[in-house]
Amino acid sequence: MKRKSFAAVTSQQVAQLAGVSQSAVSRSFTPGASISPATREKVLKAARELGYRPNAIARSLNTARSRIIGVVVSYFENPFYPQVLESLARKLDTLNYHLLLFVADKDGNVDRIFDQIMQYRVDGIVLASVTLSLDLSEECLAAGIPVVLFNRSEDSGMASSVNSNNEAAARQIAEFFVAGEHQRYAYVGGVADSSVNIARQRGYLAALQEHGINDVKVVNGDYDTRQTVRAAYSLFSQTPAPDAIFVANDHMALTVMDVARYEFGLQIPQDVSIVGYDDTGPSGWPSYALTSVSQPVQEMVDAAVELLMKQIESDTIEPEQITVPGMLVVRHSTRRPRSGIIEKEGVSLFQPQESK
């Protein structure tokens, strides 16, 4: 059976049936446009009768705006990023913008797909778990396309960024371990040269050094399950093994917990305390109950979208760096210190004495 082909209904046909101008049809389908309710209802009634839908692509050619935000992610194993994607999509939808997802290489290099992104005439770009090279940063700046790095940063300052306070939160984790009277410290990092990993490692080690603790075992899990298993094996094979481990994110922290329990027969937190970062869904499951820094996803998403909209609407790109504070949520994967734990809305938080 042959498929039937139908000619596309035009806005001019809708205007004729409704007895209005073609511009009135356009305004009827534009959120926030000035048009009387009665006229809009006539247009929508005519559109329903004719089966008309506005052509978003054609409209973008007329307005030079696609109302599309390109979002690039490479690290879907981490539950943090699907959560970010959902929140971004919902937030953009309230502003009549749409999210177009691109998947970058596992190493977080966005250069390979940059041409694809630009072909879709996106109004802005959000890079989550990936970074942008200096050359591409300059190209976006020249093209007038705002870029926001989400949970990442770059040294040139040519792109905006939104992060939790990685270094300060890592320092708080160190203070938490010291308050819990731990003796042997370790850090399981992500990709060694990623901005987030560098900030978390720097904050953790610096705070421990201030307490005279310089012997800290550092291994990298590269944000990869297999590599994290190897990193955990290297730590727990030592004699004595660390009794306080900060892992750069929850995805790796849960893997470290599994290795400790099922491969080495260790009890958590009696033998080893483990802290993660992100406070993603599985961290709150009773089987893990992972102590973790909670990244305020909605607040970070709101900040990223606000940056994009401000730059899109003003046609001016002035990069900004926004830092949003996180909270150390205390669960059963760690020994509790004698002081510093506060209860807030049914959640246990660690707050060092000097921060009160």
Side-chain angles (χ1 to χ4, degrees):
M1 179 183 294
K2 290 186 177 180
R3 294 179 59 188
K4 292 183 179 180
S5 60
F6 299 90
V9 178
T10 67
S11 60
Q12 185 176 7
Q13 291 173 297
V14 174
Q16 289 174 346
L17 181 60
V20 300
S21 67
Q22 200 167 348
S23 64
V25 175
S26 177
R27 292 198 305 277
S28 296
F29 287 95
T30 302
S34 176
I35 188 168
S36 71
T39 300
R40 184 172 185 274
E41 182 53 38
K42 286 199 317 185
V43 170
L44 295 181
K45 182 175 182 295
R48 286 193 295 269
E49 289 182 18
L50 295 173
Y52 170 78
R53 294 289 185 276
N55 189 325
I57 296 175
R59 180 179 295 181
S60 72
L61 294 175
N62 293 329
T63 63
R65 291 276 176 83
S66 66
R67 304 195 76 82
I68 294 173
I69 302 299
V71 179
V72 187
V73 182
S74 69
Y75 185 19
F76 283 99
E77 289 178 282
N78 184 355
F80 176 71
Y81 289 108
Q83 184 181 352
V84 169
L85 278 178
E86 180 180 358
S87 185
L88 260 175
R90 292 184 185 281
K91 180 67 177 180
L92 290 170
D93 184 61
T94 65
L95 301 172
N96 196 34
Y97 274 80
H98 306 284
L99 180 155
L100 184 60
L101 177 64
F102 297 87
V103 180
D105 294 336
K106 189 71 179 283
D107 62 5
N109 185 352
V110 75
D111 292 33
R112 178 185 63 81
I113 60 172
F114 183 75
D115 286 342
Q116 298 176 36
I117 300 171
M118 299 300 280
Q119 288 172 19
Y120 282 90
R121 300 167 61 95
V122 297
D123 290 343
I125 299 173
V126 176
L127 302 179
S129 79
V130 296
T131 55
L132 198 63
S133 69
L134 180 59
D135 288 345
L136 294 186
S137 295
E138 291 175 342
E139 189 171 339
C140 288
L141 195 61
I145 298 176
V147 177
V148 175
L149 301 177
F150 193 97
N151 203 35
R152 284 291 187 276
S153 60
E154 48 91 28
D155 295 332
S156 73
M158 297 183 68
S160 298
S161 65
V162 175
N163 286 281
S164 63
N165 196 338
N166 292 293
E167 189 165 345
R171 292 182 66 90
Q172 192 174 49
I173 292 169
E175 296 292 343
F176 174 75
F177 279 151
V178 170
E181 301 178 0
H182 293 80
Q183 302 298 315
R184 301 174 302 280
Y185 298 81
Y187 174 71
V188 179
V191 175
D193 61 355
S194 72
S195 60
V196 167
N197 182 72
I198 290 171
R200 293 175 187 176
Q201 180 173 334
R202 181 172 58 223
Y204 182 62
L205 297 183
L208 290 176
Q209 287 171 1
E210 290 169 10
H211 287 278
I213 301 166
N214 298 296
D215 183 16
V216 181
K217 301 295 186 292
V218 177
V219 293
N220 286 323
D222 292 341
Y223 302 130
D224 175 80
T225 299
R226 290 184 180 179
Q227 181 58 31
T228 301
V229 169
R230 288 192 285 268
Y233 261 85
S234 71
L235 291 177
F236 295 128
S237 297
Q238 297 176 18
T239 305
D243 67 346
I245 303 175
F246 169 32
V247 189
N249 71 13
D250 287 1
H251 170 230
M252 294 191 299
L254 301 181
T255 299
V256 172
M257 291 180 72
D258 285 342
V259 172
R261 287 168 168 167
Y262 304 120
E263 302 299 326
F264 288 84
L266 299 176
Q267 290 186 300
I268 300 172
Q270 293 88 340
D271 298 320
V272 58
S273 291
I274 297 173
V275 172
Y277 203 112
D278 289 339
D279 194 28
T280 54
S283 304
W285 296 352
S287 56
Y288 287 106
L290 176 67
T291 295
S292 179
V293 174
S294 177
Q295 294 210 78
V297 170
Q298 191 58 57
E299 191 174 346
M300 292 170 69
V301 164
D302 289 346
V305 172
E306 184 178 344
L307 276 175
L308 282 174
M309 295 302 111
K310 181 167 64 175
Q311 294 178 10
I312 290 171
E313 291 165 8
S314 67
D315 288 324
T316 302
I317 298 179
E318 295 182 2
E320 299 179 41
Q321 279 65 51
I322 294 178
T323 301
V324 180
M327 301 180 297
L328 181 54
V329 179
V330 180
R331 298 192 180 93
H332 300 306
S333 70
T334 50
R335 296 206 305 262
R336 291 196 170 206
R338 298 176 184 177
S339 62
I341 302 293
I342 62 171
E343 300 295 328
K344 186 175 181 180
E345 298 178 356
V347 178
S348 299
L349 305 173
F350 176 68
Q351 192 173 53
Q353 296 294 324
E354 61 271 21
S355 300
K356 287 185 177 180

